[in-house]
Amino acid sequence: MTFLSAARPCQTGTLSLTAISYGDPEARRLTRALHAEQVAVYGFADDPDDTPASHYVLPQGLFVIARCDDSPEAVGCGGWRLLSPGTAEIKRMYVTQAGRGRGIGRRILEHLESQAVSRGVIRMVLETGVRNEAALSLYRSCGYQPCPSYVAGRDSRVNRAMAKSLSLSTSTVSAQQ
């Protein structure tokens, strides 16, 4: 399923968001690039291969990739998965160097929130690294607030947990963009 954005964050055209399997080669390429960047910054990172693809299958979750201008190569990705009834987690949000600074991450996040709300999710949580200022800024600007860690054993000197209450208006706003 492909969704076209009315916004124009790409150089000459539109941004398309496509739901794909987490195991798809394009998804794997992007999640491995994310992993490599995290390892370079922190010296370690959760291995994306440890997350089962089944976590991102509707209605339990969703994984999308973003393409600019009908390019065959995706420039971003992200997903959500249910943690408990009504609560989902944003995972594997990533935009390539070439795609950064164009609003692509925001569009992916808004789309994921909208899709989750349409499936009954009322609270979204996520984790990001303390050194990832761009991600922290994006999440804050989208209404996420710091919360206690929801993953056992996380080091608060490295990880930041954040949460956001979602509503039908989250779904409506995103669907109109």
Side-chain angles (χ1 to χ4, degrees):
M1 181 180 311
T2 300
F3 306 89
L4 295 179
S5 169
R8 296 193 177 263
C10 299
Q11 284 188 320
T12 60
T14 60
L15 173 71
S16 65
L17 300 172
T18 304
I20 63 167
S21 166
Y22 183 70
D24 183 273
E26 194 74 347
R28 303 318 278 166
R29 178 183 66 80
L30 292 165
T31 59
R32 286 184 182 122
L34 167 62
H35 182 257
E37 284 189 24
Q38 291 172 328
V39 169
V41 171
Y42 300 104
F44 62 94
D46 294 339
D47 188 337
D49 293 337
D50 290 343
T51 303
S54 61
H55 286 201
Y56 301 102
V57 176
L58 290 173
Q60 301 299 313
L62 176 71
F63 199 81
V64 299
I65 58 171
R67 286 190 175 91
C68 285
D69 308 322
D70 297 324
S71 170
E73 188 168 284
V75 296
C77 66
W80 65 266
R81 63 181 182 176
L82 281 180
L83 293 181
S84 62
T87 300
E89 177 185 32
I90 295 287
K91 291 291 286 181
R92 310 288 185 241
M93 283 282 300
Y94 178 71
V95 176
T96 64
Q97 283 293 124
R100 292 180 187 165
R102 299 179 185 178
I104 295 168
R106 180 176 303 276
R107 286 294 298 128
I108 293 170
L109 182 61
E110 289 171 350
H111 180 74
L112 293 172
E113 290 175 348
S114 174
Q115 294 297 306
V117 166
S118 74
R119 285 157 180 84
V121 173
I122 58 172
R123 182 172 184 258
M124 193 67 80
V125 295
L126 59 84
E127 273 190 335
T128 193
V130 298
R131 295 181 192 154
N132 193 339
E133 289 300 323
L136 288 165
S137 178
L138 169 65
Y139 297 138
R140 277 190 225 105
S141 73
C142 289
Y144 285 81
Q145 300 293 318
C147 70
S149 179
Y150 56 92
V151 179
R154 291 296 202 207
D155 185 343
S156 63
R157 295 170 297 177
V158 177
N159 298 98
R160 287 291 178 265
M162 302 180 88
K164 177 181 178 178
S165 294
L166 302 177
S167 66
L168 188 54
S169 64
T170 303
S171 178
T172 304
V173 169
S174 182
Q176 292 174 348
Q177 295 180 351

